[in-house]
Amino acid sequence: MQTVEYVDALAAEAHAGQVDKIGVPYVEHVRAVAAGLSPFGPELMMAGLLHDVIEDTRWTAEQLRAAGIPAHVVSVVEVVTNEPGVPYGEKLKRISTNRDATLVKIADNAHNSHPDRTAHLPAGKRDRLAAKYRAARDVLWAAADSEHIEAVLSIVNPSLLAELRERQIAAESERPPSGR
């Protein structure tokens, strides 16, 4: 099995020359996602580092397996990879059926929603993406344990912790009273 360090180097090479929406080297995004997954072990960190590699580089799932990437890591990456013609909502439903893919996408969403990143976007794009990411959290957060979500957010984007707490309070107030 390969190490997180090996996978980090592979991700850096695969994303070399790519920049994100705000002009930052793309590898910084996948590293932030991986950092948010560190409480869940090395395989989830690897999946975080590779979560966009099939979608955005020349790498395929078969090549990742041949490079010694654990099968579970590759399968998580495949689940979070966009498929042509599949609407975003359907993708989120597919992801939310897989615990590890859900955590990867939560970390990805948290980093994409970070105020330090979104502040650099034009207002219209910032607003459109904020709505998209918030709607995605409706699906993703409903599919994950709140302790896991909190662990990811604490590392990747603590500004989302208030939203998580608001949702938890709302969910508790909607529960029927216990039969005591």
Side-chain angles (χ1 to χ4, degrees), residues 12-79:
E13 179 185 322
H15 291 292
Q18 294 178 344
V19 294
D20 65 12
K21 292 175 181 80
I22 62 171
V24 174
Y26 199 81
V27 72
E28 296 306 316
H29 168 67
V30 298
R31 285 176 174 155
V33 171
L37 298 165
S38 62
F40 307 100
E43 285 199 353
L44 231 47
M45 290 181 71
M46 290 179 197
L49 286 164
L50 297 173
H51 79 274
D52 281 333
V53 79
I54 294 173
E55 187 174 317
D56 293 338
T57 76
R58 64 172 180 79
W59 283 85
T60 65
E62 294 76 25
Q63 289 170 321
L64 291 173
R65 287 185 192 93
I69 306 303
H72 177 69
V73 171
V74 177
S75 81
V76 170
V77 172
E78 288 178 301
V79 172

Side-chain angles (χ1 to χ4, degrees), residues 21-22 117-130:
K21 292 175 181 80
I22 62 171
R117 293 173 53 76
T118 60
H120 297 282
L121 296 171
K125 187 170 195 170
R126 180 175 53 241
D127 294 344
R128 182 182 58 76
L129 289 174

Side-chain angles (χ1 to χ4, degrees), residues 127-148:
D127 294 344
R128 182 182 58 76
L129 289 174
K132 174 184 175 182
Y133 295 147
R134 185 171 176 87
R137 289 192 293 276
D138 290 340
V139 175
L140 297 169
W141 289 6
D145 293 333
S146 52
E147 298 83 25
H148 293 160

